[in-house]
Amino acid sequence: MTGVTETAEYIGDRRARREFMERHDLVEYDEGVKTEPEPTERQWVEDFVRDFKRVQQEDPLNRPPIDRIGETDLDGSAEIDASDIEVFK
């Protein structure tokens, strides 16, 4: 049954169930799907300290380059011409 009201429909097989759920824009609830728990304050601090130490000890010449306007691969798109942009002073 689709509910306990007078207008409840009887669903006899899986196909009818899929059709009913599609008509009413419903999704099946699954108990097994759970969101990742938020890290505790202690875990957050530990992750931050670990990342901070890694950055301090990393060779600056070994870091990947930072994307800069005009210095990156634009993947086929055109450059942005900023020479004639009006600026209000």
Side-chain angles (χ1 to χ4, degrees):
M1 297 298 289
T2 60
V4 292
T5 62
E6 297 171 354
T7 59
E9 296 178 34
Y10 177 74
I11 298 176
D13 59 4
R14 291 182 181 189
R15 182 176 181 188
R17 179 177 171 208
R18 281 194 305 267
E19 290 172 357
F20 174 82
M21 292 179 76
E22 188 174 324
R23 270 195 322 260
H24 296 283
D25 199 25
L26 300 172
V27 294
E28 189 170 350
Y29 178 74
D30 186 2
E31 289 277 343
V33 177
K34 296 182 181 164
T35 59
E36 292 286 327
E38 292 290 323
T40 62
E41 179 94 12
R42 183 177 183 159
Q43 290 171 334
W44 187 89
V45 170
E46 288 173 356
D47 289 345
F48 180 81
V49 169
R50 184 177 54 248
D51 291 342
F52 189 75
K53 285 182 179 178
R54 181 184 50 80
V55 169
Q56 283 182 324
Q57 296 171 358
E58 189 177 75
D59 180 14
L61 299 176
N62 195 26
R63 291 183 185 155
I66 299 173
D67 288 339
R68 295 189 181 128
I69 295 176
E71 296 180 9
T72 59
D73 180 22
L74 299 176
D75 200 26
S77 64
E79 286 279 340
I80 298 173
D81 182 21
S83 61
D84 63 341
I85 295 177
E86 294 182 30
V87 179
F88 179 76
K89 294 182 182 182

